[in-house]
Amino acid sequence: MQIVRVALDVPLHRFFDYLAPAGDVLTAADIGLRVRVPFGRQAKIGVVVDLPEHSDFAPEQLKSVEAVLRDLPPLPADWFRLCEFCAAYYQAPLGEVMISTLPAGLRRIDPPKARAARRVAKTPAKQTPPELTHEQLTALERIASDDEQNGGFRAYLLHGVTGSGKTEVYLRLVERALAAGRQVLLLVPEINLTPQLEARVAARFPDAGLTSLHSELTEAARTRNWRAALDGSARIVLGTRLAIFTPLPDLGLIVVDEEHDASFKQQDGMRYSARDVAVFRARERGIPIVLGSATPSLESWANATDTRTPARYTLLTLRERAVTNARLPAVQRIDTRLEKLQDGLSGVLLRALGQRLERGEQSLVFLNRRGYAPVLTCTACGWISRCQRCAANLVLHLADGRLRCHHCGFECRVPRACPTCGNQDIQPFGRGTQRIEAVLAERFPQARILRVDRDSAKSRKQWEALVEQIHDGAADILVGTQMLAKGHDFPKLTLVGALGADAALFASDWRAPERLFAQLMQVAGRAGRAELPGEVLIQTQFPEHPLYAALVRHDYPAFADAQLKEREQAGFPPYAYQAMLRAEAPQLADSLAFLTTARAWPEASAYADVMLYDPVPMRMARRANFERAQLLIESPSRRALQHFLADWGELLATIKAPSRLRWHLEVDPLEF
């Protein structure tokens, strides 16, 4: 009887032994095949991980594999190593990691029938590459030189100002990889960045196999594209976060665009960073990886610039815009302590919008707060529209007459009168994109105003339609959130007005300044990308703040270096390593009790380099009817932290807790 060891999607740190099906003999070459096995009262899809000679169980105790699925080649060895690394580093069950990285169609008991992969439609003629700037050429020559001299793994941080032609550098590198017979993996942080990059790649390489992987694909399409990557027919794979786990037999290059973006961090299940996993994968495969951004994460910046240790990344810099005569936009701070606002907009900004309308140019008013107003309130008794399930307010969405929670999704109709005192004079307080849109429509009745946020672009098709309108010149003034802040090239856009940025300056989250600077620099970069000069107006009550001063100079290095000095003094990452244990339950006392028990582990004192802080409620203590708390674990040594977490994790699984309590452990947390 042949024993088959199988990985299954269950929250246990172990594999499961089965007997091979009658008449089917598996060999070492079959490790990596999917199998259908009985598990309890149901059947599950698993992956063969070993064919051991012996099992800890007697043969009569083992069930038989129901079917060996040979519709796909076996998953490759480097895919196994990638999953093993993630399971160990992010403290997740290996079987759960392996199965969760497969497309949903390949995890189903009755998978959809296989069909040939659909590719992006070919363009009539191959696009001619633009002439390279001196800086682009220098960056490409450095990568080529390193490859000729050493080959193998090397990580590059491509720091280029907005509009400097980072994408063209990516495309030239893709061309080299394809010429060498290799596959390429391009990662982007969000789905709405895939259409234009997909179009550029398809236009440049019309005969290469280009396929995409993201969550808006149908289950069948995602499965087809994943198969094409595994069998090698897809030579270029463009995808979002989960695409990092796509098996690619001839992988020769990884590119991570907008590498600083928080969307690369998974926020449920195994909480991995696709950027960090990409670096490991490149190292494991011995291939180059390029991390690109106008505002790199401070961790990546430190890896490339810290002179006290050998640089982990090679820094490549693009300081000038790639389009001839295009210049970085002039940034002006509008002191709202002196300038009287009209419905949230300064006179300076309103006049600038009017001038662009007269010249037939486009403007963008940026406010990273969707809805009509952040809250609805009663002027008589002080009632506020609070979410019944969260420690948050319900946001007024006037267009469809709803109050919505942007955290748990709860919504209700807008009341006609105050629910507490019956007063009919209930008023919106604050401003969101819908309210700014209404104000601008009243102020500029002749203007074509287009709002771009997650309410107006709920799907990729809606997003593509909005982008097409902008490119066709069918909009004069854009009102948008961070959806418009990065990666988009609108030649007629010459003015950006930024509203409501000050709140992040003094937030309790120590990462808030980094996020704000990146957001503002990215959105400022939308202006003046062609030959028309650009201008950025930032409304603020703190115009002398160092963050805004660096923004005016477009000086990311100075901002990053100052932030890193502060973090080093405070002992924050990247000068320390962190993990967060979170618990949530209907009662806060249960969440805190679980964390307190975890912290009281007697063996913890043996780990001198690991600090466990006291359990505390999370900043948003209540969400979706669950009370949430967290416990921070910190160490100056990554190795020491990982050693502790591996041992501590065994204790966590044994703690008795109420049935409705849920907990998870996150390594390298981004949210606090």
Side-chain angles (χ1 to χ4, degrees):
M1 294 184 181
Q2 185 180 29
I3 299 168
V4 181
R5 189 154 291 164
V6 178
L8 294 173
D9 185 9
V10 294
L12 299 173
H13 291 266
R14 52 163 295 197
F15 297 134
F16 297 86
D17 289 350
Y18 289 86
L19 298 177
D24 196 344
V25 178
L26 281 74
T27 67
D30 294 321
I31 292 176
L33 286 175
R34 291 154 45 250
V35 292
R36 187 175 71 244
V37 299
F39 190 82
R41 297 182 179 180
Q42 59 181 335
K44 280 183 173 288
I45 296 296
V47 173
V48 178
V49 296
D50 195 10
L51 300 171
E53 293 184 4
H54 305 286
S55 172
D56 293 336
F57 300 91
E60 58 270 17
Q61 294 179 287
L62 301 180
K63 296 179 180 180
S64 293
V65 171
E66 293 180 354
V68 179
L69 306 177
R70 301 180 184 274
D71 56 327
L72 283 177
L75 292 160
D78 70 307
W79 178 84
F80 276 90
R81 292 193 295 271
L82 185 66
C83 291
E84 288 167 355
F85 163 76
C86 290
Y89 187 80
Y90 294 107
Q91 305 298 316
L94 180 53
E96 205 172 63
V97 172
M98 287 181 170
I99 306 304
S100 67
T101 64
L102 301 178
L106 299 181
R107 303 197 300 263
R108 286 174 45 187
I109 298 302
D110 299 311
K113 292 183 179 180
R115 289 191 290 174
R118 295 176 183 171
R119 295 180 183 175
V120 175
K122 293 184 179 180
T123 53
K126 185 174 180 179
Q127 187 185 74
T128 303
E131 186 176 344
L132 293 173
T133 66
H134 174 72
E135 290 178 329
Q136 289 172 322
L137 190 60
T138 299
L140 288 166
E141 288 175 345
R142 173 61 190 272
I143 296 174
S145 174
D146 289 342
D147 190 44
E148 291 173 3
Q149 292 179 16
N150 304 313
F153 166 76
R154 190 177 289 265
Y156 298 93
L157 179 61
L158 181 61
H159 172 227
V161 300
T162 53
S164 59
K166 294 185 291 295
T167 303
E168 183 57 34
V169 174
Y170 304 156
L171 294 176
R172 297 296 178 107
L173 293 172
V174 170
E175 186 176 33
R176 289 181 66 245
L178 293 177
R182 310 302 296 272
Q183 289 174 293
V184 178
L185 177 60
L186 298 173
L187 294 180
V188 294
E190 297 179 10
I191 294 171
N192 60 24
L193 293 178
T194 58
Q196 73 171 26
L197 183 55
E198 191 174 66
R200 286 192 65 176
V201 174
R204 184 65 67 85
F205 308 108
D207 299 320
L210 168 63
T211 193
S212 59
L213 289 168
H214 53 76
S215 60
E216 282 208 359
L217 293 172
T218 64
E219 181 180 303
R222 189 174 184 114
T223 301
R224 285 196 304 271
N225 294 354
W226 193 90
R227 288 173 182 269
L230 175 59
D231 67 25
S233 59
R235 307 309 292 174
I236 305 172
V237 174
L238 170 62
T240 50
R241 189 172 54 228
L242 190 58
I244 187 55
F245 293 101
T246 307
L248 295 156
D250 301 319
L251 183 61
L253 171 70
I254 300 176
V255 173
V256 183
D257 192 25
E258 307 290 359
E259 67 88 29
H260 68 278
D261 200 292
S263 297
F264 280 122
K265 185 67 184 286
Q266 175 74 14
Q267 294 300 332
D268 54 31
M270 179 180 67
R271 289 161 167 79
Y272 65 93
S273 164
R275 178 200 64 208
D276 296 347
V277 174
V279 174
F280 172 84
R281 186 172 187 182
R283 184 188 298 275
E284 181 69 18
R285 287 294 295 259
I287 61 173
I289 179 172
V290 178
L291 310 174
S293 177
T295 54
S297 67
L298 292 183
E299 287 81 2
S300 294
W301 188 254
N303 282 336
T305 62
D306 193 335
T307 57
R308 293 168 297 182
T309 59
R312 295 184 176 93
Y313 299 169
T314 299
L315 180 63
L316 307 172
T317 305
L318 306 177
R319 298 178 179 84
E320 302 292 335
R321 289 194 152 175
V323 175
T324 304
N325 297 327
R327 298 290 180 267
L328 289 171
V331 180
Q332 178 182 344
R333 293 159 286 185
I334 302 172
D335 191 341
T336 54
R337 298 169 301 181
L338 306 176
E339 176 85 15
K340 185 177 180 181
L341 300 182
Q342 306 170 45
D343 294 314
L345 302 170
S346 65
V348 175
L349 178 55
L350 289 169
R351 287 190 293 274
L353 290 168
Q355 291 167 1
R356 265 59 182 194
L357 282 172
E358 292 176 0
R359 299 204 296 254
E361 298 170 6
Q362 290 177 325
S363 304
L364 165 61
V365 177
F366 173 76
L367 174 62
N368 203 30
R369 187 186 301 128
R370 60 192 175 97
Y372 186 84
V375 68
L376 193 64
T377 183
C378 174
T379 57
C381 71
W383 169 84
I384 291 176
S385 57
R386 298 193 187 280
C387 179
Q388 300 173 7
R389 310 184 340 168
C390 299
N393 295 327
L394 295 175
V395 177
L396 173 62
H397 288 252
L398 199 60
D400 50 2
R402 309 292 287 180
L403 290 170
R404 290 199 182 96
C405 178
H406 290 178
H407 300 280
C408 73
F410 172 81
E411 64 175 73
C412 62
R413 292 181 180 178
V414 175
R416 296 183 178 180
C418 174
T420 301
C421 70
N423 173 36
Q424 294 188 347
D425 186 21
I426 50 177
Q427 299 291 331
F429 183 79
R431 293 170 183 84
T433 50
Q434 289 182 9
R435 190 169 190 175
I436 294 299
E437 177 189 25
V439 168
L440 290 171
E442 183 177 349
R443 178 76 58 165
F444 302 106
Q446 77 280 19
R448 297 166 297 174
I449 299 173
L450 187 66
R451 175 169 51 84
V452 183
D453 56 24
R454 294 204 180 278
D455 295 318
S456 62
K458 295 180 181 178
S459 69
R460 175 169 168 168
K461 285 187 177 180
Q462 290 176 319
W463 166 252
E464 289 176 349
L466 290 173
V467 171
E468 187 175 352
Q469 280 184 264
I470 300 170
H471 277 291
D472 290 345
D476 301 312
I477 301 176
L478 313 178
V479 180
T481 60
Q482 62 181 350
M483 290 183 72
L484 280 174
K486 56 204 169 193
H488 306 296
D489 195 350
F490 305 129
K492 294 182 180 179
L493 184 65
T494 61
L495 173 68
V496 170
L499 315 181
D502 286 344
L505 291 178
F506 307 104
S508 57
D509 184 352
W510 48 269
R511 291 187 187 272
E514 177 186 6
R515 292 193 184 111
L516 176 61
F517 188 89
Q519 193 176 79
L520 291 178
M521 198 167 198
Q522 293 283 343
V523 75
R526 299 316 104 202
R529 294 173 70 92
E531 294 186 0
L532 297 173
E535 183 180 15
V536 180
L537 303 177
I538 299 175
Q539 296 187 175
T540 174
Q541 293 184 355
F542 308 98
E544 291 82 23
H545 194 283
L547 184 147
Y548 292 134
L551 194 69
V552 168
R553 302 191 307 271
H554 297 278
D555 194 350
Y556 171 81
F559 169 79
D561 292 344
Q563 285 287 302
L564 286 171
K565 287 179 182 177
E566 290 183 12
R567 290 196 185 181
E568 186 171 21
Q569 291 170 357
F572 288 157
Y575 305 104
Y577 302 94
Q578 296 178 331
M580 190 76 79
L581 178 63
R582 296 189 175 97
E584 56 183 21
Q587 302 298 324
L588 181 61
D590 291 334
S591 299
L592 290 170
F594 175 86
L595 298 177
T596 300
T597 301
R599 187 183 186 280
W601 184 40
E603 305 292 333
S605 59
Y607 298 84
D609 288 338
V610 178
M611 167 72 75
L612 280 75
Y613 291 84
D614 291 333
V616 294
M618 292 179 63
R619 277 189 299 154
M620 180 177 286
R622 183 172 179 81
R623 180 174 180 177
N625 288 327
F626 276 81
E627 302 282 352
R628 312 189 303 164
Q630 61 189 21
L631 166 62
L632 176 65
I633 310 99
E634 191 172 71
S635 175
S637 164
R638 191 194 300 272
R639 185 185 299 275
L641 179 63
Q642 283 290 316
H643 186 200
F644 169 81
L645 293 177
D647 295 341
W648 194 45
E650 297 179 7
L651 163 80
L652 298 178
T654 66
I655 297 177
K656 292 184 179 179
S659 59
R660 295 193 64 193
L661 183 139
R662 304 182 300 214
W663 63 270
H664 69 265
L665 182 63
E666 180 175 1
V667 180
D668 301 332
L670 291 183
E671 303 292 337
F672 285 83

